[in-house]
Amino acid sequence: MTSRGAGTAFSRKNYRLSTEPEKSKVTGIVNSRLLNDYLHRVFTSADGNQPAAAYRKHLTFQNLQEHLERLLAEENGSEESRDQVAEGRLGPSTVVLDHTSGFEGLLLVDDDLLGVIGHSNFGSIRATTCVYKGKWIYEVLISSQGLMQIGWCTLNCRFNQEEGVGDTPDSYAYDGNRVRKWNVTTTNYGKSWAAGDIVSCLIDLDEGTIAFCLNGISLGTAFDNITRGAGMAYFPAISLSFKESVAFNFGSRPLRYPVEGYRPLQDPPVADLVKARKLLGYLKNVIHIGIDVTEGKLVEKDTSMWQLQGEPTVLITLAHIFNYFSPLMCKVYLVEDVLMTFLLSILERGGAVESHPLIQQLLDLMWLLMEEYEVHECLKQLLMSLLRAYRFSPIIPDLGLQIHYLRLTIAVLKHEKSRKYLLSNVLFDVLRSVVFFYIKSPLRVEEAGLQELIPTTWWPNRFTKEGKESKEVKEESAEERLRRRAYERGCQRLKKRIEVVEGLQVQILKLLLNNKDRGGGEASRYIFLNKFRKFLQENASNRGNLTVLCPPEYMVCFLHRLIAALRFFWDGHKAKTPAALSSEEAYVPPQLFYNGKVDYFDLQRLGGLLSHLKKTLKDDLAAKANILIDPAELQAVTMDDLDEDEESATSAAQSQRPSAALAIGGALARPAWLSSPTLGRANRFLSTAAVSLMNPRRPLGTLEKIKVLTLRVEQRTREDIEGTHGNEGLLLGRPPEEPDQPITENSLLEVLDGIVMMYNLSVHQQLGKMVGVSDDVNEYAMALKDTEEKISRCPKRRRDIHEELLKSQKVFSEKLNHLSRRLAWINVTIYSKEKMQDIYWLLRVCIRTIEHGDRTGSLFAFMPEFYLSVAMNSYSALKNYFSPVNSMEELPGYEETLMRLAAILAKHFADSRIVGTDIRDSLMQALASYVCYPHSLRAVERIPEEQRISMMKNLLAPYEQRPWAQTNWILVRLWRGCGFGYRYTRLPHLLKTKPEDASLPSLQKPCPSTLLQRHMADLLRSDRDLAPSFLNSVLNQLNWAFSEFIGMIQEIQQAAERLERNFVDSRQLKVCATCFDLSVSLLRVLEMTVTLAPEIFLDWNRPSSELLLRRLAQLLNQVLNRVTAERNLFDRVVNLRLPGLESVDHYPILVAVTGILVRLLVDTDVQGTERATAVLLADPCFQLRSIQYLLGHAEPSALAAAAPATDKRHFSLHTYTEYISAEELAKVEKMLNHLSEESKQAAATTLPTSEEDLCPICYAHPISAIFRPCSHKSCKACINQHLMNNKDCFFCKATITGVDDFTKPASS
């Protein structure tokens, strides 16, 4: 391009000019007189006055350039003197952060050297320029609200990882996180800051003072009498802790809050600014003045409806203006101060964005009259400025500032060519445009104007002191009702204002998802899709690298706006194609998961790694989906290959820019999410930890004759996604189980898939985090209620206490007023009914997707794990996070959705196609939680009978070789409410000591399922192999859990008895309590089994019944003896009441054992009672004393010994009348009487047995079995138990082929 100012007309475009009158009729160029008047009207002098026609020079296009240059140079003489280096400042004229020597610790610095993120404990960095005289100001844009100290320091200040700005002499700082100021010592100062605030740092070296402002509001003088004099110059500086981030504005952009009398450290480009404003004035004149060729005069035009309409005179005039204006529009300061201000002023007149076509016309002009690189730079800077302005605008009640900037963003993006350029190169590559979809939450409700919007506050008073929801619903007083309604009206006003912003944000996404703008290249939607996928990859692949991740609060807002835009296009397509599905029936078809058209990066599949699935399921892919795997595909990438890739990528990146790659302790040039509000990302993370992200995925081959090439994400076109005739695009490889019906446009399926992935990445976590504000409101409401009760009870004579209580009441009330307004904002932006419906829609999408995937058989293994995770988590969010505001029961199709999710959990928790232990555990936990709540348990009962029976069969699989604790917990929940003394929600001894958390699954009221119990009983009875294997595994685990528990309490007791002060490890206490809880729950499962199918133990025609009964009796006796012995180990540990062992008590374990004994000895037929009694009494460990202990009958000797300790209370089931019915107690009395009688008779009739006749293994039972072929002998119990795990003889190790009954010959 030639230099500016050369040539007769202008250097940019060659227009053929003519002033001949006869040509004007043809070309539209006006005659010279009219042209002269027009040009003088457009190009007015600096004072705005035009000289009289007789004195002014005749203007034509030939001399216009000279005239224009003279006009632009009019004030330059005075401006040049201003550009001289200002006195009182030392350093480069362009002020940036000193990333070469002025830092301490590890920091990440943006490419523009103005944004910084802390990457070590307490890193510090200063600017390159210092001041020693005069008044100076700079601004800091706060991107995160954590621990930072911002201010000024001298060159002599030495910082380290513990001491930063303000911690040394001659350094001064403001800390809005702790609301303090720092200069060696610290005192309270200022207000707390939040992400999105702007801090102004002012220094007056004439008066010796330092002050700070927050969002333009002065916080007052922080320091006076600062050190001045020879050698004292102050640098802007900051210290910030790990992950905290800010961006500086030293004057490279217009200050958001300038202060009169204070200069920015970097001078504004005054000469360019004056020139740009003049040229903008000329541009406005062109728009304002029209030429009426037929009348031969100039006319005023309506600027809002101005169009170019192919007028050569106007076009050439504009070309002259843009000749000078274009290069200025590449400078960030001028774009923000001149261009953005002008464009915003166009929209200030109100009305819809569509009613301001002038912006579209101006963008057309820019693309026509500016060089391409200039348009690119100008648009990039304009979007950066808009993003920065949107993000760092204070919240005012009507959100007017945010709306203003979003409207201009929409106006710019409505221009097709600009939109495509910005999408391709700026929105996701240079900017973090997700910021546009975020509505920040105000930390200081006063400044956000919420007091005016919600003048009356209200909070629920339905909680008791223990945190439980009050049982009796108190009538709302008239005053409370008025307050609540006024609060709700305020919330509605707020909601309407926020909905305006959300509507504009959805409009932006609708523009980005436009697939009809195919003029001049790919449609916007396909560019967006490729960028969106890359965005997801960065967030999925960099979970440990916080600087790359999109903050979860941004992701939540982005998700909701994207769902709204997606459903708009989805239903629009349905309207045009009636055969397609509506968005209410949306799902992701299973072929997306295995045909290689959509990149899932390295995310785990249900069946394991993708490379493994390609090997093992290649035949199924070929048969079902017509997809053939290339043999080269099957060579799995080794870890060594990956390491080499990383090293080569790192070395390449370092070779590109070696100066920026510094070791630990250095400042790394790095763009990042949270630093610069422009959030630029042009370079890489330059350190040895760098990872190459965008490795191309290997493509899948197909059976088609034409070889299909799978492209990298960035290279895909409309044809690759939507497909063409004979090419199904994303839907390649439809399995036979999938209906041959159009769903929607393929591109929308990929957006939907991305939305599900977004929810999994961080949205669910953020939804759970924001519930904390609601919890705070409840806590303060309880504290206030408690304080008011104390005030009412306070004696009048104690005025001192009364005054303190009134102070507390005031503090709690103020805090509640603040929190209730903040909660209103959060409820509208995060937990509103509309947001709840979005999450519910997402849950239904996941359910349908899983159901369709499940039908494909083995190919289900290709589905990414996150679909199951999102199905479980979104249900959990709807139940736990949205419930205070909106009820899930009101959602359409709620019961059916609950049942379908129950069917998924019931089927897939033991699905052999799912191999990941984490996802299997999640499914098991979700099912365990599901059966705790009555409404979701009923949903499980409504699934098809075949699925219910299959679920119960999987739950009854042997407990070895798998995680069994959750399975056992599910069975216990199905039984709770039916067992002996098993109707409690919390253990009796804990009721007074621990408040109840109503939402915990383990603390739900008992809701047993008789239907599922019946299925369990049928399975145990009908399957002769299932019952023994299941029960043996339960007995084995009980033996292990109780033995571990006893071993641990022995260690705890020994530690407690030592004289020296010592502490028991809390983890050991937790494991001990867990072993106890497991023992109790295993006993309850045994009680359940004995109750539902007693014949498994008592019908000795079944091969394993007698053995199972003997094993059960043996374990029950062991448990009873350990727990009931007087002044024993268990007693002593329970009485210690150690924190962490709260659940360890006599009641839960003894009532579980009692339940089993009562069922075996009382609630059965005569034959069953006889068999159970005989086995129990035959066990050498049986002690009648243990049974007597249950009813508080202590032995006489024990009573005599315990006589002095009259305060010692004995355990007795009689004391638990609230938990144990009279009928149950009567059965225990009957059992005790029965056992007393039977044990007396057994003692009288038992003949002494010689030692030779006793089993040589256990010495407890007579010999009753002989082994084949070796003829060794033992009792039946020992050999049966031994043969479960081993076929070798006890004695000679010969393989046992059979066991016969042995009866001692009479002659002997």
Side-chain angles (χ1 to χ4, degrees):
M1 180 180 154
T2 56
S3 63
R4 297 189 185 279
T8 54
F10 50 91
S11 56
R12 321 197 103 243
K13 314 277 182 183
N14 291 319
Y15 289 94
R16 203 168 159 209
L17 309 179
S18 171
T19 54
E20 295 175 38
E22 66 275 10
K23 290 275 181 95
S24 66
K25 293 174 186 173
V26 182
T27 62
I29 293 181
V30 298
N31 61 55
S32 61
R33 182 188 60 78
L34 193 55
L35 179 63
N36 176 52
D37 289 348
Y38 176 70
L39 293 177
H40 273 291
R41 280 283 298 278
V42 170
F43 298 101
T44 54
S45 60
D47 56 10
N49 297 322
Q50 296 181 37
Y55 297 103
R56 66 189 183 198
K57 182 179 177 183
H58 187 78
L59 282 179
T60 65
F61 284 133
Q62 275 76 13
N63 63 7
L64 177 58
Q65 183 163 342
E66 180 191 341
H67 176 69
L68 191 50
E69 284 178 353
R70 190 168 61 251
L71 285 175
L72 293 176
E74 271 179 8
E75 289 186 22
N76 272 6
S78 59
E79 299 300 340
E80 281 169 15
S81 62
R82 281 199 219 170
D83 280 343
Q84 300 300 316
V85 175
E87 190 185 359
R89 180 176 62 195
L90 293 171
S93 58
T94 302
V95 187
V96 293
L97 295 172
D98 187 351
H99 72 298
T100 54
S101 58
F103 60 85
E104 169 61 41
L106 181 62
L107 301 155
L108 304 178
V109 182
D110 274 5
D111 271 356
D112 59 6
L113 300 180
L114 293 173
V116 61
I117 299 182
H119 209 64
S120 55
N121 188 35
F122 203 49
S124 303
I125 192 166
R126 64 169 184 259
T128 52
T129 298
C130 61
V131 291
Y132 59 90
K133 188 169 141 185
K135 297 180 176 181
W136 303 91
I137 181 174
Y138 71 93
E139 289 180 342
V140 182
L141 286 66
I142 306 293
S143 300
S144 63
Q145 63 191 52
L147 180 60
M148 297 181 277
Q149 292 172 201
I150 300 170
W152 305 84
C153 74
T154 63
L155 196 62
N156 297 327
C157 293
R158 293 287 173 265
F159 304 129
N160 55 41
Q161 294 287 301
E162 304 298 329
E163 294 183 336
V165 180
D167 296 327
T168 62
D170 302 331
S171 69
Y172 306 87
Y174 160 50
D175 171 4
N177 177 256
R178 293 174 287 189
V179 198
R180 304 183 78 79
K181 59 181 181 181
W182 297 81
N183 174 234
V184 184
T185 59
T186 177
T187 51
N188 292 337
Y189 173 78
K191 296 178 183 176
S192 62
W193 59 38
D197 286 341
I198 297 180
V199 174
S200 306
C201 305
L202 297 82
I203 189 166
D204 182 347
L205 287 157
D206 300 331
E207 296 294 329
T209 61
I210 288 175
F212 298 92
C213 302
L214 188 63
N215 294 332
I217 299 167
S218 175
L219 301 176
T221 301
F223 305 99
D224 49 22
N225 200 24
I226 64 171
T227 311
R228 290 170 291 165
M232 295 302 293
Y234 287 91
F235 292 83
I238 184 172
S239 297
L240 64 178
S241 55
F242 183 63
K243 291 194 304 188
E244 303 306 334
S245 54
V246 298
F248 286 84
N249 181 11
F250 299 113
S252 59
R253 300 183 299 273
L255 293 179
R256 178 64 69 89
Y257 303 107
V259 178
E260 192 177 347
Y262 286 80
R263 295 186 61 179
L265 265 78
Q266 181 173 324
D267 289 324
V270 181
D272 285 345
L273 205 50
V274 170
K275 200 182 288 186
R277 284 174 181 159
K278 279 184 185 177
L279 290 162
L280 181 63
Y282 304 151
L283 179 60
K284 287 178 183 175
N285 290 341
V286 171
I287 295 166
H288 197 63
I289 300 162
I291 305 172
D292 189 338
V293 181
T294 54
E295 294 285 327
K297 64 177 183 181
L298 305 180
V299 291
E300 297 284 327
K301 291 183 76 173
D302 177 10
T303 56
S304 63
M305 304 307 291
W306 180 82
Q307 286 185 319
L308 189 58
Q309 294 174 335
E311 300 172 22
T313 306
V314 177
L315 184 61
I316 295 169
T317 307
L318 286 168
H320 277 85
I321 294 170
F322 271 89
N323 186 46
Y324 296 95
F325 194 53
S326 301
L328 297 176
M329 286 302 100
C330 296
K331 298 180 180 178
V332 59
Y333 196 103
L334 303 176
V335 169
E336 194 164 317
D337 192 75
V338 178
L339 181 62
M340 190 170 93
T341 309
F342 170 53
L343 295 176
L344 286 169
S345 69
I346 295 172
L347 291 174
E348 271 174 359
R349 297 162 197 158
V353 176
E354 292 81 3
S355 62
H356 299 287
L358 179 56
I359 293 176
Q360 306 300 305
Q361 295 292 316
L362 290 169
L363 289 167
D364 280 338
L365 276 180
M366 288 166 66
W367 282 99
L368 178 67
L369 299 174
M370 292 170 72
E371 297 292 342
E372 201 167 77
Y373 74 90
E374 291 171 336
V375 187
H376 291 174
E377 186 62 24
C378 178
L379 285 171
K380 184 176 97 174
Q381 295 298 349
L382 177 61
L383 257 285
M384 278 187 174
S385 299
L386 278 170
L387 190 81
R388 192 181 299 116
Y390 174 78
R391 188 181 184 197
F392 291 94
S393 290
I395 295 171
I396 53 177
D398 63 354
L399 294 161
L401 295 169
Q402 283 80 0
I403 290 169
H404 205 37
Y405 297 124
L406 285 174
R407 277 163 55 83
L408 180 52
T409 307
I410 291 169
V412 172
L413 291 174
K414 272 186 174 295
H415 188 263
E416 182 181 322
K417 198 170 182 182
S418 302
R419 174 170 71 247
K420 288 185 180 177
Y421 164 71
L422 290 168
L423 250 179
S424 300
N425 302 286
V426 177
L427 286 178
F428 283 89
D429 298 89
V430 179
L431 296 185
R432 294 291 195 172
S433 52
V434 177
V435 172
F436 277 126
F437 310 113
Y438 175 55
I439 301 177
K440 63 183 177 184
S441 174
L443 201 63
R444 300 176 301 277
V445 295
E446 306 81 22
E447 288 173 30
L450 289 185
Q451 283 175 324
E452 293 76 33
L453 202 60
I454 309 174
T456 309
T457 57
W458 172 86
W459 48 87
N461 274 321
R462 62 178 188 275
F463 292 93
T464 64
K465 286 183 194 175
E466 289 184 336
K468 294 183 280 190
E469 286 215 27
S470 193
K471 294 276 193 304
E472 61 281 355
V473 179
K474 292 182 182 174
E475 275 297 314
E476 197 176 33
S477 68
E479 185 191 349
E480 278 185 344
R481 192 181 306 112
L482 285 172
R483 274 184 60 202
R484 176 174 57 77
R485 287 176 180 170
Y487 177 71
E488 286 169 354
R489 284 195 298 274
C491 293
Q492 279 303 316
R493 286 193 292 271
L494 175 64
K495 185 176 181 180
K496 283 176 184 169
R497 294 178 183 190
I498 286 177
E499 280 174 350
V500 174
V501 178
E502 291 177 349
L504 292 170
Q505 292 170 331
V506 173
Q507 273 190 53
I508 292 176
L509 277 169
K510 286 178 183 175
L511 290 169
L512 301 185
L513 286 171
N514 184 350
N515 66 337
K516 301 289 184 281
D517 54 347
R518 293 178 202 155
E522 203 64 68
S524 300
R525 181 184 296 176
Y526 306 106
I527 306 171
F528 172 82
L529 262 185
N530 294 337
K531 298 295 179 184
F532 180 50
R533 207 74 201 169
K534 194 173 176 184
F535 163 79
L536 291 172
Q537 182 173 20
E538 286 180 351
N539 282 277
S541 307
N542 287 280
R543 291 200 171 186
N545 187 355
L546 295 161
T547 59
V548 177
L549 295 184
C550 169
E553 59 269 25
Y554 290 41
M555 202 77 105
V556 173
C557 295
F558 187 29
L559 177 104
H560 288 297
R561 308 306 172 266
L562 199 52
I563 288 175
L566 170 73
R567 295 190 69 175
F568 169 80
F569 283 108
W570 194 301
D571 290 329
H573 179 75
K574 163 74 176 169
K576 293 177 198 164
T577 317
L581 298 179
S582 72
S583 64
E584 278 299 329
E585 305 164 293
Y587 71 96
V588 180
Q591 54 264 48
L592 258 69
F593 307 136
Y594 56 72
N595 65 15
K597 295 291 184 182
V598 176
D599 191 354
Y600 287 101
F601 334 127
D602 298 317
L603 294 175
Q604 189 79 359
R605 309 299 181 103
L606 292 177
L609 292 173
L610 183 61
S611 55
H612 165 73
L613 292 173
K614 284 178 184 174
K615 281 182 186 176
T616 54
L617 298 176
K618 63 178 187 293
D619 295 338
D620 290 351
L621 279 172
K624 288 188 173 186
N626 203 28
I627 290 178
L628 187 67
I629 302 290
D630 185 353
E633 273 291 298
L634 301 179
Q635 295 174 358
V637 180
T638 63
M639 289 306 293
D640 295 338
D641 294 336
L642 287 174
D643 292 342
E644 287 167 18
D645 289 346
E646 288 175 16
E647 287 164 17
S648 61
T650 307
S651 59
Q654 288 175 340
S655 64
Q656 287 168 15
R657 197 166 160 192
S659 60
L662 302 171
I664 299 292
L668 302 173
R670 167 62 186 163
W673 245 109
L674 300 169
S675 57
S676 166
T678 62
L679 308 167
R681 314 179 313 157
N683 67 346
R684 293 172 180 268
F685 187 87
L686 301 175
S687 82
T688 51
V691 178
S692 172
L693 291 182
M694 288 303 292
N695 289 329
R697 307 254 87 72
R698 292 195 173 97
L700 280 168
T702 72
L703 277 173
E704 296 166 10
K705 290 178 183 176
I706 301 168
K707 188 158 184 178
V708 177
L709 176 66
T710 304
L711 299 171
R712 285 179 59 171
V713 166
E714 299 89 336
Q715 300 167 328
R716 295 182 309 163
T717 62
R718 179 181 181 279
E719 286 70 28
D720 298 318
I721 294 168
E722 302 290 5
T724 51
H725 298 295
N727 168 21
E728 294 179 273
L730 292 185
L731 297 182
L732 177 75
R734 181 175 63 82
E737 298 85 0
E738 187 65 12
D740 187 9
Q741 174 199 5
I743 302 170
T744 186
E745 295 166 285
N746 291 358
S747 49
L748 297 180
L749 292 173
E750 187 172 331
V751 175
L752 177 57
D753 177 75
I755 288 172
V756 178
M757 194 190 296
M758 274 171 64
Y759 186 89
N760 185 59
L761 289 174
S762 57
V763 172
H764 182 72
Q765 159 203 351
Q766 182 65 14
L767 288 176
K769 185 178 171 187
M770 296 310 291
V771 174
V773 179
S774 176
D775 294 341
D776 290 346
V777 169
N778 292 334
E779 279 183 30
Y780 277 103
M782 279 168 12
L784 179 64
K785 189 178 176 185
D786 188 40
T787 307
E788 286 170 348
E789 285 176 6
K790 286 178 181 174
I791 289 172
S792 66
R793 295 197 309 268
C794 181
K796 290 182 180 177
R797 64 179 184 278
R798 296 305 305 267
R799 292 184 62 186
D800 53 338
I801 296 175
H802 194 259
E803 284 173 11
E804 287 300 319
L805 287 170
L806 287 174
K807 282 182 190 172
S808 299
Q809 184 188 26
K810 186 183 175 188
V811 169
F812 292 144
S813 296
E814 286 174 357
K815 189 73 179 174
L816 272 167
N817 286 333
H818 169 89
L819 282 173
S820 64
R821 290 187 176 106
R822 189 153 175 248
L823 185 61
W825 184 284
I826 289 167
N827 283 343
V828 169
T829 54
I830 298 176
Y831 299 120
S832 70
K833 190 170 185 179
E834 292 74 18
K835 309 293 185 295
M836 186 181 195
Q837 286 165 346
D838 282 349
I839 304 299
Y840 181 60
W841 177 79
L842 203 57
L843 166 63
R844 289 164 68 102
V845 165
C846 289
I847 287 173
R848 280 189 289 270
T849 302
I850 294 163
E851 287 171 347
H852 278 263
D854 181 34
R855 290 176 206 143
T856 61
S858 59
L859 299 185
F860 180 57
F862 281 96
M863 181 180 284
E865 282 185 354
F866 66 76
Y867 273 88
L868 278 170
S869 299
V870 172
M872 294 182 284
N873 288 337
S874 54
Y875 168 70
S876 169
L878 290 167
K879 185 162 68 73
N880 298 320
Y881 304 154
F882 288 86
S883 54
V885 189
N886 300 293
S887 171
M888 192 179 170
E889 282 81 355
E890 296 168 9
L891 293 166
Y894 161 74
E895 294 290 340
E896 186 216 356
T897 303
L898 214 57
M899 188 196 73
R900 288 167 73 182
L901 180 59
I904 286 170
L905 297 176
K907 179 168 187 180
H908 297 301
F909 82 91
D911 192 336
S912 59
R913 295 171 295 180
I914 301 174
V915 299
T917 52
D918 288 345
I919 192 70
R920 287 174 75 98
D921 284 351
S922 298
L923 284 163
M924 186 77 81
Q925 286 169 15
L927 184 61
S929 173
Y930 227 69
V931 299
C932 289
Y933 300 88
H935 58 283
S936 50
L937 178 60
R938 301 298 160 248
V940 176
E941 292 179 342
R942 287 199 307 274
I943 66 177
E945 184 175 356
E946 185 186 342
Q947 291 184 15
R948 292 198 304 268
I949 293 171
S950 173
M951 176 187 83
M952 293 309 297
K953 192 165 187 176
N954 287 323
L955 288 173
L956 296 175
Y959 281 7
E960 283 86 13
Q961 310 300 320
R962 70 187 182 94
W964 54 269
Q966 284 291 353
T967 307
N968 198 73
W969 163 247
I970 293 169
L971 292 173
V972 167
R973 282 304 309 188
L974 298 178
W975 178 243
R976 191 174 204 165
C978 295
F980 182 92
Y982 201 33
R983 290 170 292 279
Y984 56 82
T985 301
R986 185 184 283 284
L987 289 169
H989 70 286
L990 293 182
L991 279 174
K992 295 173 185 172
T993 58
K994 199 170 182 182
E996 180 169 294
D997 184 345
S999 65
L1000 279 178
S1002 58
L1003 297 178
Q1004 298 308 303
K1005 290 179 181 176
C1007 51
S1009 170
T1010 50
L1011 176 64
L1012 297 176
Q1013 287 175 21
R1014 195 160 64 245
H1015 289 325
M1016 176 176 170
D1018 293 344
L1019 283 166
L1020 290 171
R1021 287 193 193 102
S1022 59
D1023 192 333
R1024 297 232 159 192
D1025 295 327
L1026 176 68
S1029 60
F1030 168 67
L1031 287 168
N1032 273 313
S1033 66
V1034 173
L1035 292 166
N1036 287 343
Q1037 300 300 349
L1038 175 60
N1039 188 26
W1040 167 82
F1042 191 71
S1043 302
E1044 285 291 309
F1045 166 70
I1046 293 297
M1048 284 183 185
I1049 62 172
Q1050 283 174 343
E1051 292 175 21
I1052 292 166
Q1053 172 65 18
Q1054 288 164 7
E1057 285 178 347
R1058 291 191 193 115
L1059 293 174
E1060 67 271 16
R1061 186 177 175 79
N1062 58 80
F1063 299 94
V1064 182
D1065 185 2
S1066 59
R1067 283 174 301 179
Q1068 187 182 5
L1069 292 173
K1070 194 173 179 181
V1071 173
C1072 179
T1074 303
C1075 285
F1076 179 78
D1077 293 340
L1078 286 174
S1079 301
V1080 173
S1081 63
L1082 287 161
L1083 283 165
R1084 285 297 183 182
V1085 169
L1086 288 168
E1087 180 194 18
M1088 181 183 186
T1089 312
V1090 169
T1091 308
L1092 296 175
E1095 58 268 36
I1096 294 170
F1097 293 94
L1098 301 176
D1099 179 5
W1100 286 6
N1101 294 323
R1102 299 169 76 101
S1104 53
S1105 292
E1106 187 182 353
L1107 170 64
L1108 287 171
L1109 186 58
R1110 289 188 188 282
R1111 287 198 68 194
L1112 178 63
Q1114 185 184 13
L1115 278 168
L1116 293 180
N1117 281 326
Q1118 283 181 12
V1119 172
L1120 279 172
N1121 293 344
R1122 289 286 193 175
V1123 175
T1124 61
E1126 285 293 334
R1127 295 184 303 284
N1128 68 351
L1129 180 66
F1130 187 86
D1131 252 349
R1132 290 201 293 273
V1133 170
V1134 167
N1135 291 330
L1136 285 173
R1137 293 292 175 209
L1138 294 171
L1141 289 186
E1142 293 91 351
S1143 63
V1144 177
D1145 191 64
H1146 292 82
Y1147 181 83
I1149 197 160
L1150 288 180
V1151 288
V1153 172
T1154 307
I1156 299 171
L1157 291 173
V1158 165
R1159 186 69 188 86
L1160 287 171
L1161 299 169
V1162 180
D1163 293 343
T1164 188
D1165 57 29
V1166 176
Q1167 187 185 36
T1169 303
E1170 287 174 358
R1171 285 176 177 171
T1173 307
V1175 169
L1176 192 67
L1177 296 179
D1179 186 80
C1181 298
F1182 174 75
Q1183 295 179 18
L1184 186 62
R1185 175 193 57 76
S1186 298
I1187 309 295
Q1188 293 168 337
Y1189 183 92
L1190 298 174
L1191 294 172
H1193 302 170
E1195 291 176 290
S1197 60
L1199 281 172
T1206 51
D1207 59 331
K1208 166 80 175 162
R1209 290 182 62 194
H1210 283 280
F1211 175 86
S1212 173
L1213 295 177
H1214 287 298
T1215 59
Y1216 295 94
T1217 50
E1218 287 181 35
Y1219 304 95
I1220 302 172
S1221 67
E1223 185 187 353
E1224 286 174 331
L1225 282 171
K1227 286 180 181 179
V1228 180
E1229 294 276 9
K1230 184 177 177 182
M1231 177 183 75
L1232 177 57
N1233 294 335
H1234 170 71
L1235 286 175
S1236 300
E1237 280 301 315
E1238 290 296 322
S1239 57
K1240 283 177 190 172
Q1241 287 181 20
T1245 57
T1246 302
L1247 297 170
T1249 307
S1250 71
E1251 196 171 311
E1252 292 174 5
D1253 297 335
L1254 287 174
C1255 168
I1257 303 300
C1258 65
Y1259 283 93
H1261 306 292
I1263 292 170
S1264 55
I1266 184 167
F1267 316 155
R1268 287 200 309 264
C1270 60
S1271 300
H1272 286 114
K1273 306 178 190 72
S1274 78
C1275 66
K1276 279 186 182 174
C1278 287
I1279 188 59
N1280 285 346
Q1281 193 164 347
H1282 177 68
L1283 289 175
M1284 284 167 53
N1285 305 309
N1286 199 324
K1287 301 298 180 189
D1288 296 342
C1289 174
F1290 290 114
F1291 309 100
C1292 64
K1293 301 302 177 190
T1295 302
I1296 298 173
T1297 58
V1299 178
D1300 298 322
D1301 289 344
F1302 174 76
T1303 309
K1304 188 176 178 184
S1307 59
S1308 316

